[in-house]
C-alpha cells in the first residue's frame, strides 16, 4: 500500500506542477489560488519522495540507507514540508473563504490584501516552517548508531532520539500546538464556507441560470473542492496528532504508531492531486487538449 500511495502522490503532484507551469506559460500568469495549489503540490511531491521512497526501500529489506548527516537532512526536509502542507492548506481554505464571502467590505479588504501580498505570505509561511522544525536536526541519527530507544521516534532507517523526557515533551507539544492551530483555523474557514454555500443555495432556489449565477456556481464548486480537501486533511491529521499526543502524554513510543502516522501523512499527499485533477477544469483541459488549443476559463479553483 505504501508503494501505491507513493506512486500516486509522485505522479499526481507532478501532473499538477507541469500543468500549472504550462498554464502560466500560456496565460503569462497564475491566479492566486493556482499559486497556492502549485506550492501545495510541490510540498506534497517532496513528502512523497523524501518519505515514501526510503520507507519502501526499508520495507524491502534495505537497511542503513543513510548516515547521520543523511538522516538529519531527510528528517528536516520531510518535517518542514509536512508543516508547509499544513499551513498552505490553511491558507487555501482562508483565501477561498474570503473569495466567496461577498457583501462585506472587510472580506473584500482581506481578499485584496491576500492577493496583493500572496508571494510574501507564502514566503513567510515557508520561513516559519523552516524555523519551527529546525529542532529535529540535532536529534536525528542513523539506525546503526542508536543505543537508547526510551525517547526515540523510529523511522526504521533513521531515528529521532531525544536526550530526556523534558526535551521530548517540549518538541512534541510544540509540534502538536503548531499543527492544532492551523488545523483549527482551516476548520473554521471551511465551516464558514459551508454556511455561505447553504445560505446561497436557499437564495437561488427557483432562479434560472444567468451569467452571474454561472460564476457563483463555479465559485461554489471551488469552495466545495477546498472543503473536501480540508475535511480529509482534518480527519487524517486529526488521527495523526491524536496518536502523537497520546505518545507524548503516556511517554511510551509504539513502533507501529509511526508507520500509521507515516501512512496518514502520505495519504494526504496522494489524495490532494486526485481531488485537484478531478475538480479543476483547467488542469483537465491541459491533459485532454493538444498544445496551443485554449478556451476561456473562469478565474477560480474549479476552472
Amino acid at each position: 500500500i505504501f508503494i501505491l500511495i507513493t506512486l500516486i502522490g509522485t505522479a499526481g503532484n507532478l501532473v499538477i506542477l507541469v500543468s500549472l507551469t504550462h498554464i502560466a506559460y500560456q496565460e503569462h500568469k497564475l491566479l492566486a489560488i493556482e499559486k497556492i495549489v502549485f506550492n501545495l503540490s510541490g510540498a506534497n511531491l517532496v513528502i512523497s519522495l523524501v518519505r515514501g521512497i526510503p520507507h519502501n526501500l526499508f520495507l524491502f529489506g534495505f537497511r542503513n540507507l543513510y548516515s547521520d548527516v543523511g538522516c538529519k537532512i531527510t528528517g528536516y526536509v520531510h518535517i518542514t514540508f509536512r508543516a508547509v502542507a499544513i499551513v498552505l492548506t490553511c491558507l487555501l481554505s482562508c483565501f477561498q473563504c474570503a473569495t466567496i464571502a461577498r457583501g462585506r467590505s472587510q472580506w473584500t479588504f482581506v481578499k485584496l490584501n491576500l492577493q496583493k501580498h500572496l508571494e510574501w505570505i507564502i514566503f513567510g509561511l515557508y520561513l516559519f516552517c523552516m524555523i519551527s522544525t529546525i529542532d529535529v536536526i540535532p536529534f536525528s541519527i542513523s539506525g546503526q548508531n542508536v543505543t537508547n530507544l526510551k525517547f526515540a521516534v523510529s523511522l526504521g532507517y533513521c531515528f529521532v532520539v531525544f536526550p530526556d523526557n523534558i526535551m521530548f515533551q517540549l518538541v512534541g507539544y510544540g509540534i502538536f500546538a503548531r499543527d492544532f492551530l492551523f488545523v483549527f483555523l482551516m476548520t473554521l474557514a471551511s465551516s464558514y464556507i459551508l454556511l455561505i454555500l447553504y445560505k446561497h443555495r436557499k437564495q437561488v432556489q427557483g432562479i434560472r441560470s444567468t451569467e452571474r449565477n454561472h460564476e457563483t456556481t463555479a465559485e461554489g464548486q471551488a469552495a466545495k473542492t477546498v472543503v473536501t480537501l480540508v475535511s480529509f486533511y482534518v480527519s487524517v491529521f486529526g488521527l495523526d496528532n491524536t496518536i502523537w499526543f497520546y505518545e507524548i502524554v503516556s511517554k511510551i513510543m509504539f513502533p507501529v504508531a509511526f508507520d500509521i502516522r507515516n501512512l496518514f501523512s502520505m495519504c494526504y499527499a496522494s489524495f490532494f492531486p486526485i481531488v485537484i485533477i478531478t475538480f479543476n477544469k483547467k488542469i483537465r483541459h491541459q491533459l485532454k487538449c493538444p498544445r496551443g488549443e485554449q478556451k476561456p476559463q473562469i478565474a477560480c479553483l474549479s476552472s
Side-chain angles (χ1 to χ4, degrees), residues 31-38 92 95-96 99 118 300-301:
L31 302 176
I33 280 188
E34 291 171 343
K35 293 176 183 178
I36 301 174
V37 170
F38 184 89
L92 180 66
F95 185 88
Q96 191 63 52
T99 299
L118 183 63
C300 65
L301 181 62

Side-chain angles (χ1 to χ4, degrees), residues 283-295:
I283 292 178
R284 292 207 311 272
H285 176 70
Q286 290 291 323
L287 297 176
K288 290 179 181 178
C289 300
R291 291 185 179 181
E293 184 179 329
Q294 302 183 42
K295 60 181 180 181

Side-chain angles (χ1 to χ4, degrees), residues 189-222:
S190 297
S191 299
Y192 191 64
I193 289 172
L194 288 174
L195 178 62
I196 293 173
L197 292 177
Y198 174 74
K199 289 182 177 180
H200 174 73
R201 189 174 68 175
K202 293 185 68 175
Q203 290 174 353
V204 300
Q205 283 179 345
I207 300 177
R208 294 184 179 276
S209 62
T210 61
E211 183 67 25
R212 172 67 175 170
N213 194 41
H214 174 68
E215 180 183 346
T216 308
T217 302
E219 288 184 352
Q221 186 66 32

Side-chain angles (χ1 to χ4, degrees), residues 265-278:
S265 179
M266 296 287 294
C267 278
Y268 180 77
S270 301
F271 181 77
F272 173 82
I274 294 174
V275 173
I276 295 299
I277 293 173
T278 301

Side-chain angles (χ1 to χ4, degrees), residues 137-158:
I137 295 178
F139 305 126
S140 298
I141 59 175
S142 64
Q144 55 189 342
N145 292 329
V146 176
T147 56
N148 181 16
L149 295 176
K150 187 175 182 180
F151 300 110
V153 179
S154 173
L155 284 67
Y157 50 90
C158 290

Side-chain angles (χ1 to χ4, degrees), residues 25-179:
Y25 174 76
Q26 288 180 328
E27 302 179 4
H28 307 292
K29 68 174 182 178
L30 282 178
L31 302 176
I33 280 188
E34 291 171 343
K35 293 176 183 178
I36 301 174
V37 170
F38 184 89
N39 282 274
L40 253 175
S41 293
N44 288 323
L45 177 62
V46 173
I47 292 172
S48 296
L49 294 174
V50 172
R51 184 47 55 90
I53 293 178
H55 188 80
N56 285 310
L57 290 174
F58 179 79
L59 292 178
F60 277 103
F62 290 88
R63 302 294 187 265
N64 302 324
L65 292 172
Y66 297 115
S67 63
D68 286 352
V69 174
C71 285
K72 293 179 188 298
I73 294 174
T74 56
Y76 177 68
V77 169
H78 171 258
I79 197 171
T80 298
F81 279 93
R82 177 187 177 277
V84 168
I86 294 175
V87 300
L88 288 183
T89 304
C90 180
L91 177 62
L92 180 66
S93 59
C94 291
F95 185 88
Q96 191 63 52
C97 180
T99 299
I100 70 169
R102 302 189 174 195
R104 294 187 178 183
S105 58
Q106 57 264 39
W107 283 116
T108 303
F109 174 79
V110 170
K111 178 184 175 181
L112 291 177
N113 276 275
L114 283 175
Q115 289 177 328
K116 183 178 179 180
H117 305 292
L118 183 63
E119 287 81 5
W120 284 107
I121 293 172
I122 293 176
F123 175 77
L125 290 175
Y126 270 102
L127 193 61
F128 167 77
C129 293
M130 293 173 66
I131 294 173
S132 66
T133 56
I134 201 169
D135 49 20
V136 75
I137 295 178
F139 305 126
S140 298
I141 59 175
S142 64
Q144 55 189 342
N145 292 329
V146 176
T147 56
N148 181 16
L149 295 176
K150 187 175 182 180
F151 300 110
V153 179
S154 173
L155 284 67
Y157 50 90
C158 290
F159 287 81
V160 181
V161 182
F162 300 97
D164 51 45
N165 181 50
I166 295 176
M167 185 59 68
F168 170 67
Q169 293 201 338
L170 280 175
V171 175
Y173 283 122
I175 294 173
F176 178 81
R178 182 201 64 209
D179 291 357

